């Protein structure tokens, strides 16, 4: 039996050789190289667009692919991406899981349509408006107290925030969001119906009140939930 010291030396050599072998396998061999990028979760974007923007260095050792850098490039180059997860898919792949921003409102500009998500981020300009996405109309005068205090971008975000808080079935029927001031946001729905929303605050409470109000007053065409604790309906 080998002396303890000899066994320790042999064990150390074995560990070193194993480490060197693993290092060669990961970095030096042709076995564990990045050869393809798999994209999932895209709706409007194409997988080809995502691969191009990701710019994964195919042919490099898979272990050397900087997944954080790939994710940063995607968010920077494709504003439609809200979040993205990039991971190594051994032995040869890079997996990209995309979550796209969803338009909650559009603004018409120069014959095109700017898509805005629920956080108020303008993320894309398209030739045709997406189906069942309301048009945001800013009616607050530039010299109005509300505009001077909050600024037009903040008022726009409040309008989108209100639209994002609508119950799903009401949101599908909403055609126009009119922002007249911070405290005066009005939704125009199909069938000539209107919803006075007030400010963008307390969206969840207003959504619950609106759902209950529409069930209780099925023949109404004007709903006011600006004070969600005291909602009102009128019209035939």
């Amino acid at each position: 039996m080998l002396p303890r010291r000899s066994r320790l030396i042999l064990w150390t050599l074995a560990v070193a050789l194993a480490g060197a072998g693993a290092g060669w396998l990961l970095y030096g061999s042709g076995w564990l190289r990045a050869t393809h990028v798999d994209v999932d979760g895209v709706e409007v974007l194409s997988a080809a667009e995502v691969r191009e923007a990701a710019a994964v260095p195919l042919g490099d050792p898979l272990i050397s692919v900087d997944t954080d850098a790939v994710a940063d490039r995607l968010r920077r180059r494709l504003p439609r991406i809200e979040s993205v997860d990039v991971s190594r898919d051994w032995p040869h792949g890079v997996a990209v899981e995309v979550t796209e921003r969803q338009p909650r409102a559009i603004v018409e500009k120069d014959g095109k349509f700017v898509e805005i998500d629920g956080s108020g981020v303008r993320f894309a300009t398209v030739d045709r408006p997406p189906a069942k996405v309301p048009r945001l109309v800013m009616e607050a005068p530039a010299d109005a107290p509300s505009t001077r205090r909050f600024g037009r971008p903040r008022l726009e975000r409040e309008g989108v925030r209100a639209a994002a808080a609508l119950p799903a079935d009401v949101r599908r029927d909403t055609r126009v969001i009119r922002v007249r001031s911070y405290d005066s946001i009005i939704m125009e729905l199909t069938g000539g119906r209107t919803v006075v929303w007030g400010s963008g605050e307390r969206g969840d409470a207003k959504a619950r009140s609106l759902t209950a109000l529409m069930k209780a007053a099925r023949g109404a065409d004007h709903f006011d939930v600006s004070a969600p604790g005291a909602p009102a309906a009128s019209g035939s």
Side-chain angles (χ1 to χ4, degrees):
M1 185 173 179
L2 291 173
R4 181 178 178 182
R5 179 175 178 142
S6 297
R7 292 201 304 272
L8 180 60
I9 292 172
L10 288 174
W11 181 84
T12 303
L13 287 173
V15 170
L17 288 172
W24 176 82
L25 183 65
L26 290 171
Y27 290 96
S29 78
W31 294 350
L32 302 178
R33 304 243 164 199
T35 61
H36 61 274
V37 178
D38 294 322
V39 179
D40 196 15
V42 291
E43 297 178 16
V44 177
L45 294 170
S46 68
E49 287 178 289
V50 173
R51 291 190 186 96
E52 182 178 0
V56 174
L58 297 180
D60 285 5
L62 187 58
I63 190 66
S64 71
V65 174
D66 188 336
T67 55
D68 289 339
V70 172
D72 287 343
R73 279 197 296 274
L74 285 169
R75 285 189 290 265
R76 186 175 65 253
R77 296 176 179 179
L78 298 175
R80 186 176 289 277
I81 291 179
E82 181 175 33
S83 63
V84 60
D85 180 70
V86 181
S87 60
R88 301 180 188 89
D89 186 16
W90 298 95
H92 302 298
V94 174
V96 178
E97 178 71 30
V98 169
T99 300
E100 294 183 7
R101 298 183 189 276
Q102 299 300 316
R104 295 303 186 195
I106 56 172
V107 172
E108 189 172 358
K109 183 178 180 181
D110 300 329
K112 295 184 180 295
F113 301 90
V114 181
E115 294 181 311
I116 310 173
D117 74 359
S119 299
V121 176
R122 294 185 173 210
F123 63 90
T125 300
V126 294
D127 294 328
R128 295 182 179 180
K132 297 186 178 180
V133 176
R135 183 164 54 95
L136 182 66
V137 178
M138 300 296 295
E139 296 183 342
D143 59 349
S146 185
T147 308
R148 291 200 305 269
R149 178 181 177 185
F150 297 103
R152 188 177 178 88
R154 171 69 184 277
L155 296 183
E156 182 178 283
R157 288 196 298 272
E158 289 300 308
V160 178
R161 178 185 175 192
L166 286 169
D169 55 340
V170 178
R171 189 186 310 125
R172 286 192 293 269
D173 288 343
T174 302
R175 294 295 175 262
V176 180
I177 308 160
R178 297 193 183 278
V179 181
R180 295 175 177 171
S181 71
Y182 182 86
D183 295 315
S184 181
I185 300 171
I186 299 173
M187 317 290 185
E188 295 180 1
L189 279 58
T190 57
R193 297 170 295 163
T194 58
V195 176
V196 177
W197 194 261
S199 72
E201 299 172 5
R202 303 185 64 191
D204 290 343
K206 292 176 181 180
R208 290 193 297 269
S209 291
L210 182 59
T211 297
L213 190 62
M214 286 183 158
K215 289 180 179 178
R218 294 187 181 275
D221 55 22
H222 181 77
F223 306 91
D224 189 334
V225 293
S226 56
S234 62
S236 58

